[in-house]
Amino acid sequence: MTQAIVNLALPVIEKKVEKALENAPSDSIKTTETTVALQERLVAYVLRRMPTFYVTTDNAQSCSLENPISCFSQAQQHEMDQLIYEGLQHLMASQQLGNGSSGASRWV
């Protein structure tokens, strides 16, 4: 039987970033920034600052692939939330300084 290696952090962080952007005040983020591009940059920001969490498909019984957030402790989930908040704050600060999209790519 072939085993697949699955990064469980990616789908969890993607969902958390999506939720954070939905809850962010619309005037705090420039409308010229596409949601997809912003989501990608925030996900990259968090992934670069978090330890990776991989499982093989045979090890998936200990935590569900259908609900990967259950594989992370409350402390790990809190760290993800903090990093998302930090990334949003950094992005908004760079936009207020007038860096626009050219400066925003350097923060990841």
Side-chain angles (χ1 to χ4, degrees), residues 21 28-30 33-35 37-42 45 83-108:
L21 290 175
S28 65
I29 300 172
K30 284 189 176 180
E33 186 73 49
T34 65
T35 304
L38 180 59
Q39 283 179 315
E40 288 174 357
R41 292 209 322 259
L42 282 173
Y45 182 90
L83 287 169
I84 291 167
Y85 176 78
E86 180 182 303
L88 278 170
Q89 294 300 311
H90 188 81
L91 178 61
M92 288 186 291
S94 67
Q95 287 180 347
Q96 289 175 353
L97 293 174
N99 291 341
S101 61
S102 63
S105 63
R106 292 181 287 198
W107 67 274
V108 173

Side-chain angles (χ1 to χ4, degrees), residues 62-83:
S62 63
C63 58
S64 170
L65 291 177
E66 290 79 29
N67 187 21
I69 198 162
S70 66
C71 302
F72 295 92
S73 68
Q74 289 291 4
Q76 290 169 318
Q77 291 182 44
H78 180 70
E79 183 179 1
M80 289 176 194
D81 293 337
Q82 288 299 111
L83 287 169

